[in-house]
């Protein structure tokens, strides 16, 4: 039996018999969304300045125990954002501590802050899912030594050879794929990845589904 495609991070989930879409929902918007299927939720670094830490903590606590909430995030650091980096760090550290206390993975948004993310991961026991990954090779080798998963998206479809070379270095049991906010079809991303890895789409689907069950303890 071939397993479904897993779209690990999307803001535009689709309903399909052969696709499981993991919707990414901003924590402040969660009450307005349909949460009858698996989703992730957290405070994006772009929004960090708009909430007090106690307010964020309360919002996270309100979600605790919800069956369909499978990871915190996307959360992280973005040095291109206008939000002060120190504020971003405080908000990220709060979410990381919550994830640690509740044994939940984090979906990481990172822009130009690899040193900081690596430093946080070295002292963290929960898995990090590196959303829209396109780090260069030496960063990838550092992250492989930690409990990280790598999620590749639409960049693979743009013929970016450096990203494909990085993909080849990552064991399949550390991989995920995503559509994020794009119009890309997750099936096309899997096909591109399978071609790059010189394996069948069916093998890749089975492995990614296994990764999904393992990291999120899903049956």
């Amino acid at each position: 039996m071939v397993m479904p495609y897993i779209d690990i991070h999307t803001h535009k989930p689709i309903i399909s018999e052969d696709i499981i879409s993991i919707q990414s929902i901003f924590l402040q918007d969660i009450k307005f969304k349909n949460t009858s299927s698996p989703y992730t939720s957290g405070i994006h670094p772009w929004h960090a300045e708009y909430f007090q830490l106690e307010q964020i903590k309360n919002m996270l606590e309100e979600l605790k125990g919800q069956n369909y909430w499978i990871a915190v995030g996307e959360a992280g650091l973005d040095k291109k954002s206008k939000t002060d980096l120190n504020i971003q760090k405080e908000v990220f550290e709060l979410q990381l501590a919550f994830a640690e206390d509740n044994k939940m993975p984090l979906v990481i948004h990172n822009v130009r802050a690899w040193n900081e993310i690596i430093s946080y991961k070295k002292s963290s026991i929960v898995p990090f899912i590196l959303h829209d990954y396109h780090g260069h090779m030496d960063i990838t080798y550092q992250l492989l030594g930690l409990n990280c998963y790598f999620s590749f998206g639409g960049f693979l479809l743009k013929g970016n050879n450096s990203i494909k070379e990085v993909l080849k270095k990552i064991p399949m049991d550390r991989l995920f794929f995503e559509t994020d906010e794009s119009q890309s079809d997750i099936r096309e991303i899997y096909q591109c990845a399978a071609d790059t890895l010189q394996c069948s789409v069916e093998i890749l689907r089975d492995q990614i589904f296994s990764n999904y069950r393992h990291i999120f303890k899903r049956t």
Side-chain angles (χ1 to χ4, degrees):
M1 177 181 176
V2 178
M3 296 298 120
Y5 294 93
I6 300 294
D7 185 349
I8 202 67
H9 180 86
T10 182
H11 295 276
K12 300 177 180 179
I14 66 171
I15 299 173
S16 173
E17 291 184 357
D18 66 340
I19 299 173
I20 297 176
S21 295
I22 313 303
Q23 186 177 12
S24 176
I25 305 174
F26 298 136
L27 187 60
Q28 66 270 26
D29 295 338
I30 193 70
K31 61 185 175 182
F32 306 113
K33 299 291 185 177
N34 175 13
T35 55
S36 59
S37 58
Y39 67 93
T40 68
S41 191
I43 296 293
H44 195 287
W46 295 350
H47 307 148
E49 64 183 330
Y50 301 127
F51 303 96
Q52 299 297 318
L53 295 179
E54 191 64 26
Q55 185 181 8
I56 296 170
K57 182 178 180 180
N58 290 338
M59 287 192 287
L60 291 169
E61 289 291 337
E62 287 176 6
L63 275 187
K64 190 158 67 174
Q66 295 291 322
N67 183 54
Y68 291 110
W69 185 31
I70 62 174
V72 177
E74 56 189 292
L77 303 174
D78 189 331
K79 290 187 177 179
K80 290 183 68 176
S81 172
K82 295 179 181 178
T83 302
D84 183 89
L85 187 62
N86 289 325
I87 294 175
Q88 293 185 47
K89 286 181 177 180
E90 289 180 343
V91 170
F92 179 70
E93 288 166 7
L94 185 155
Q95 294 182 96
L96 175 57
F98 180 90
E100 295 275 0
D101 290 343
N102 293 278
K103 297 181 175 58
M104 297 180 72
L106 281 100
V107 177
I108 301 295
H109 172 102
N110 168 68
V111 176
R112 300 180 181 175
W114 283 121
N115 288 339
E116 290 85 351
I117 293 297
I118 288 171
S119 179
Y120 282 120
K121 186 66 198 75
K122 285 180 177 177
S123 59
S124 170
I125 60 171
V126 297
F128 281 15
I129 302 169
L130 306 170
H131 137 66
D132 192 25
Y133 187 72
H134 48 276
H136 49 74
M137 199 70 79
D138 60 338
I139 289 293
T140 302
Y141 284 131
Q142 291 183 63
L143 292 164
L144 280 171
L146 304 169
N147 188 17
C148 291
Y149 290 77
F150 302 77
S151 180
F152 291 83
F155 272 100
L156 287 178
L157 302 178
K158 296 179 179 180
N160 189 318
N161 289 329
S162 62
I163 293 298
K164 292 181 178 180
E165 289 304 311
V166 167
L167 173 61
K168 292 176 184 178
K169 300 297 182 183
I170 298 173
M172 281 192 190
D173 62 0
R174 297 283 199 93
L175 286 176
F176 285 110
F177 300 101
E178 64 177 76
T179 57
D180 196 18
E181 294 184 305
S182 74
Q183 300 297 326
S184 301
D185 188 321
I186 193 65
R187 290 165 288 209
E188 293 180 2
I189 294 173
Y190 270 70
Q191 184 63 64
C192 182
D195 292 344
T196 301
L197 297 172
Q198 298 183 321
C199 69
S200 70
V201 171
E202 290 75 20
I203 287 175
L204 198 56
R205 286 171 67 175
D206 286 351
Q207 180 62 61
I208 303 309
F209 187 76
S210 177
N211 298 348
Y212 169 72
R213 288 194 301 183
H214 172 71
I215 194 173
F216 299 116
K217 308 298 187 289
R218 311 304 283 187
T219 58

